[in-house]
Amino acid sequence: MASRANPWAALRGLSIRTRSLRAACVEQQHHQAPVSRFLRNTIGARRGYADGSNTTSTPSSSSQNQPPPPSNSAEPSATTQQRPPPPSQAAPGTQVSPYHELFAPNFLNTEALAALEKAAAEAAEAAAGDGLLFHMPDRAGKHEQLQDRYHPVVHQITRLLMRDGKLSKAQTNMGLILNHLRTSPPPKINPLRPLLPGAPPPSQLPLNPLLYLTLAIESVAPMVRIFAMKGQAGGGRALEVPTPLPARTRRRLAVGWILDAVNKKKSRGSGRGQFAARFGDEIIAIVEGRSSVWDRRQVLHKLATVSRANLNNPIVSGSGGASKSKSKKM
């Protein structure tokens, strides 16, 4: 055994260990040649980028067995590839290709953004009308009154249904009438008693109860009214003259006839909604041509047809007074 103080023995052991380590490293490099080559290229590219050069080495099939060029070479090799500098380091006036953004402007992202905007709008609308079954009514304008928010037909009929000044009760009955028309089956139109021209088909009437109610009232409303002039027909008899009516007056007479027919009907059950049910049944009977209101309208129109000859009466036309004044002057 060599002495610890002998330096030559220590150097001999160091050389033997160095040879064994070198052989092991060569064998490991033989198995990991592609990985080491990739690491050398990457390190060389990083060094060149840090030094300010824009040359990077890319592995190719022709240079797999050749060592990579040194990073401090002045001229780039044929296998190098130009890499555009970042926009912050680009020279002014040069065109630099933009980097790939995370959200590219394609049709998929456009549809996704549109869906998000729609969902946000619906959420804002739901938050604005939270707790309401329907949308809030529009506020009345500066020169508008509160009752102008409602349809004119609904407003007029509600006032005609009111008794003893109980407007809230009349409004409740009006809502029950519209609900009765909405839930009723489609009516069967009688061709002998047609509705107004341009009316929708019967299957669409329950879908719009307001149109249902307006169409029934306007169809059965009289066109004229008989105006009696007392003592003008001679012998103390009244002179009957037909007079055309405006729209509100026609609706008022029609609703009065409907109320007379409703009051003669019997209730089919018990409860507070019996008046609304009877009124709704009468509206359906009018549309189907089964109501007695049609007979009253027909009688009034026949009487107006008979009385239209009185329009040529001198008292009505105004020619009789002029002839009497001429005779007095003569």
Side-chain angles (χ1 to χ4, degrees), residues 118-141:
K118 183 179 180 181
E122 291 179 355
E125 185 178 358
D130 190 11
L132 299 177
L133 183 59
F134 301 101
H135 295 287
M136 284 288 292
D138 299 333
R139 291 182 176 272

mmCIF file of all heavy atoms in Angstrom, residues 118-141:
data_model
loop_
_atom_site.group_PDB
_atom_site.id
_atom_site.type_symbol
_atom_site.label_atom_id
_atom_site.label_comp_id
_atom_site.label_asym_id
_atom_site.label_seq_id
_atom_site.Cartn_x
_atom_site.Cartn_y
_atom_site.Cartn_z
ATOM 1 N N LYS A 118 -75.663 39.851 -25.959
ATOM 2 C CA LYS A 118 -77.088 39.590 -25.833
ATOM 3 C C LYS A 118 -77.445 39.154 -24.420
ATOM 4 O O LYS A 118 -78.450 39.593 -23.847
ATOM 5 C CB LYS A 118 -77.509 38.523 -26.843
ATOM 6 C CG LYS A 118 -79.000 38.220 -26.834
ATOM 7 C CD LYS A 118 -79.348 37.178 -27.877
ATOM 8 C CE LYS A 118 -80.844 36.869 -27.857
ATOM 9 N NZ LYS A 118 -81.185 35.827 -28.859
ATOM 10 N N ALA A 119 -76.625 38.274 -23.842
ATOM 11 C CA ALA A 119 -76.882 37.834 -22.470
ATOM 12 C C ALA A 119 -76.769 38.991 -21.493
ATOM 13 O O ALA A 119 -77.568 39.106 -20.546
ATOM 14 C CB ALA A 119 -75.902 36.722 -22.096
ATOM 15 N N ALA A 120 -75.804 39.887 -21.718
ATOM 16 C CA ALA A 120 -75.669 41.042 -20.835
ATOM 17 C C ALA A 120 -76.863 41.980 -20.959
ATOM 18 O O ALA A 120 -77.352 42.524 -19.963
ATOM 19 C CB ALA A 120 -74.373 41.793 -21.159
ATOM 20 N N ALA A 121 -77.361 42.171 -22.192
ATOM 21 C CA ALA A 121 -78.543 43.027 -22.376
ATOM 22 C C ALA A 121 -79.766 42.429 -21.711
ATOM 23 O O ALA A 121 -80.558 43.132 -21.064
ATOM 24 C CB ALA A 121 -78.799 43.255 -23.870
ATOM 25 N N GLU A 122 -79.957 41.109 -21.848
ATOM 26 C CA GLU A 122 -81.099 40.474 -21.192
ATOM 27 C C GLU A 122 -80.981 40.543 -19.680
ATOM 28 O O GLU A 122 -81.982 40.749 -18.977
ATOM 29 C CB GLU A 122 -81.190 39.016 -21.653
ATOM 30 C CG GLU A 122 -81.584 38.848 -23.116
ATOM 31 C CD GLU A 122 -81.628 37.389 -23.525
ATOM 32 O OE1 GLU A 122 -81.266 36.536 -22.684
ATOM 33 O OE2 GLU A 122 -82.032 37.114 -24.684
ATOM 34 N N ALA A 123 -79.771 40.387 -19.166
ATOM 35 C CA ALA A 123 -79.599 40.484 -17.716
ATOM 36 C C ALA A 123 -79.893 41.897 -17.220
ATOM 37 O O ALA A 123 -80.514 42.081 -16.173
ATOM 38 C CB ALA A 123 -78.167 40.076 -17.344
ATOM 39 N N ALA A 124 -79.474 42.912 -17.989
ATOM 40 C CA ALA A 124 -79.762 44.292 -17.595
ATOM 41 C C ALA A 124 -81.256 44.584 -17.655
ATOM 42 O O ALA A 124 -81.814 45.261 -16.780
ATOM 43 C CB ALA A 124 -78.990 45.266 -18.499
ATOM 44 N N GLU A 125 -81.924 44.049 -18.672
ATOM 45 C CA GLU A 125 -83.376 44.251 -18.773
ATOM 46 C C GLU A 125 -84.108 43.548 -17.643
ATOM 47 O O GLU A 125 -85.061 44.083 -17.076
ATOM 48 C CB GLU A 125 -83.870 43.737 -20.122
ATOM 49 C CG GLU A 125 -85.345 44.002 -20.384
ATOM 50 C CD GLU A 125 -85.785 43.521 -21.756
ATOM 51 O OE1 GLU A 125 -84.927 43.018 -22.499
ATOM 52 O OE2 GLU A 125 -86.985 43.648 -22.058
ATOM 53 N N ALA A 126 -83.672 42.338 -17.302
ATOM 54 C CA ALA A 126 -84.307 41.622 -16.188
ATOM 55 C C ALA A 126 -84.063 42.331 -14.867
ATOM 56 O O ALA A 126 -84.940 42.376 -13.999
ATOM 57 C CB ALA A 126 -83.773 40.184 -16.128
ATOM 58 N N ALA A 127 -82.874 42.917 -14.712
ATOM 59 C CA ALA A 127 -82.599 43.637 -13.471
ATOM 60 C C ALA A 127 -83.406 44.923 -13.387
ATOM 61 O O ALA A 127 -83.815 45.347 -12.302
ATOM 62 C CB ALA A 127 -81.100 43.953 -13.383
ATOM 63 N N ALA A 128 -83.653 45.558 -14.554
ATOM 64 C CA ALA A 128 -84.440 46.790 -14.539
ATOM 65 C C ALA A 128 -85.896 46.519 -14.185
ATOM 66 O O ALA A 128 -86.533 47.311 -13.489
ATOM 67 C CB ALA A 128 -84.342 47.496 -15.890
ATOM 68 N N GLY A 129 -86.469 45.411 -14.682
ATOM 69 C CA GLY A 129 -87.864 45.091 -14.392
ATOM 70 C C GLY A 129 -88.002 43.939 -13.423
ATOM 71 O O GLY A 129 -88.832 43.064 -13.619
ATOM 72 N N ASP A 130 -87.155 43.886 -12.416
ATOM 73 C CA ASP A 130 -87.172 42.777 -11.462
ATOM 74 C C ASP A 130 -88.444 42.824 -10.636
ATOM 75 O O ASP A 130 -88.819 43.872 -10.106
ATOM 76 C CB ASP A 130 -85.944 42.863 -10.553
ATOM 77 C CG ASP A 130 -85.774 41.610 -9.720
ATOM 78 O OD1 ASP A 130 -86.477 40.628 -10.007
ATOM 79 O OD2 ASP A 130 -84.954 41.625 -8.783
ATOM 80 N N GLY A 131 -89.119 41.677 -10.524
ATOM 81 C CA GLY A 131 -90.329 41.582 -9.726
ATOM 82 C C GLY A 131 -91.607 41.912 -10.464
ATOM 83 O O GLY A 131 -92.674 41.938 -9.854
ATOM 84 N N LEU A 132 -91.554 42.191 -11.776
ATOM 85 C CA LEU A 132 -92.735 42.551 -12.560
ATOM 86 C C LEU A 132 -93.071 41.413 -13.506
ATOM 87 O O LEU A 132 -92.190 40.833 -14.135
ATOM 88 C CB LEU A 132 -92.492 43.836 -13.360
ATOM 89 C CG LEU A 132 -92.182 45.092 -12.541
ATOM 90 C CD1 LEU A 132 -91.886 46.254 -13.473
ATOM 91 C CD2 LEU A 132 -93.339 45.433 -11.614
ATOM 92 N N LEU A 133 -94.365 41.102 -13.592
ATOM 93 C CA LEU A 133 -94.804 40.061 -14.505
ATOM 94 C C LEU A 133 -94.745 40.535 -15.951
ATOM 95 O O LEU A 133 -94.404 39.781 -16.851
ATOM 96 C CB LEU A 133 -96.223 39.616 -14.149
ATOM 97 C CG LEU A 133 -96.819 38.466 -14.965
ATOM 98 C CD1 LEU A 133 -95.943 37.222 -14.839
ATOM 99 C CD2 LEU A 133 -98.234 38.161 -14.532
ATOM 100 N N PHE A 134 -95.071 41.818 -16.183
ATOM 101 C CA PHE A 134 -95.024 42.403 -17.512
ATOM 102 C C PHE A 134 -94.141 43.654 -17.452
ATOM 103 O O PHE A 134 -93.712 44.096 -16.383
ATOM 104 C CB PHE A 134 -96.430 42.765 -18.018
ATOM 105 C CG PHE A 134 -97.365 41.598 -18.085
ATOM 106 C CD1 PHE A 134 -98.302 41.390 -17.095
ATOM 107 C CD2 PHE A 134 -97.293 40.685 -19.121
ATOM 108 C CE1 PHE A 134 -99.156 40.301 -17.141
ATOM 109 C CE2 PHE A 134 -98.136 39.609 -19.183
ATOM 110 C CZ PHE A 134 -99.073 39.418 -18.187
ATOM 111 N N HIS A 135 -93.872 44.232 -18.609
ATOM 112 C CA HIS A 135 -93.040 45.424 -18.676
ATOM 113 C C HIS A 135 -93.777 46.622 -18.078
ATOM 114 O O HIS A 135 -95.003 46.695 -18.076
ATOM 115 C CB HIS A 135 -92.649 45.725 -20.122
ATOM 116 C CG HIS A 135 -91.781 44.669 -20.730
ATOM 117 N ND1 HIS A 135 -90.456 44.507 -20.388
ATOM 118 C CD2 HIS A 135 -92.050 43.692 -21.634
ATOM 119 C CE1 HIS A 135 -89.935 43.502 -21.058
ATOM 120 N NE2 HIS A 135 -90.884 42.992 -21.828
ATOM 121 N N MET A 136 -92.999 47.547 -17.579
ATOM 122 C CA MET A 136 -93.579 48.767 -17.017
ATOM 123 C C MET A 136 -94.230 49.591 -18.125
ATOM 124 O O MET A 136 -93.678 49.706 -19.222
ATOM 125 C CB MET A 136 -92.495 49.585 -16.339
ATOM 126 C CG MET A 136 -92.054 49.038 -14.987
ATOM 127 S SD MET A 136 -93.324 49.310 -13.728
ATOM 128 C CE MET A 136 -93.272 51.077 -13.595
ATOM 129 N N PRO A 137 -95.421 50.158 -17.878
ATOM 130 C CA PRO A 137 -96.048 51.014 -18.903
ATOM 131 C C PRO A 137 -95.265 52.296 -19.083
ATOM 132 O O PRO A 137 -94.582 52.777 -18.165
ATOM 133 C CB PRO A 137 -97.446 51.278 -18.320
ATOM 134 C CG PRO A 137 -97.282 51.102 -16.843
ATOM 135 C CD PRO A 137 -96.253 50.031 -16.664
ATOM 136 N N ASP A 138 -95.345 52.835 -20.271
ATOM 137 C CA ASP A 138 -94.658 54.081 -20.578
ATOM 138 C C ASP A 138 -95.294 55.241 -19.813
ATOM 139 O O ASP A 138 -96.516 55.286 -19.610
ATOM 140 C CB ASP A 138 -94.702 54.364 -22.082
ATOM 141 C CG ASP A 138 -94.001 53.266 -22.873
ATOM 142 O OD1 ASP A 138 -93.084 52.628 -22.302
ATOM 143 O OD2 ASP A 138 -94.375 53.056 -24.045
ATOM 144 N N ARG A 139 -94.453 56.165 -19.403
ATOM 145 C CA ARG A 139 -94.960 57.341 -18.696
ATOM 146 C C ARG A 139 -95.741 58.251 -19.642
ATOM 147 O O ARG A 139 -95.434 58.348 -20.827
ATOM 148 C CB ARG A 139 -93.800 58.118 -18.072
ATOM 149 C CG ARG A 139 -93.133 57.385 -16.910
ATOM 150 C CD ARG A 139 -92.030 58.251 -16.314
ATOM 151 N NE ARG A 139 -91.449 57.636 -15.152
ATOM 152 C CZ ARG A 139 -91.897 57.776 -13.914
ATOM 153 N NH1 ARG A 139 -92.960 58.546 -13.691
ATOM 154 N NH2 ARG A 139 -91.314 57.185 -12.894
ATOM 155 N N ALA A 140 -96.733 58.907 -19.083
ATOM 156 C CA ALA A 140 -97.534 59.833 -19.871
ATOM 157 C C ALA A 140 -96.696 61.042 -20.257
ATOM 158 O O ALA A 140 -95.808 61.486 -19.506
ATOM 159 C CB ALA A 140 -98.767 60.274 -19.094
ATOM 160 N N GLY A 141 -96.943 61.558 -21.461
ATOM 161 C CA GLY A 141 -96.198 62.704 -21.942
ATOM 162 C C GLY A 141 -96.580 63.980 -21.229
ATOM 163 O O GLY A 141 -97.368 63.995 -20.266
#
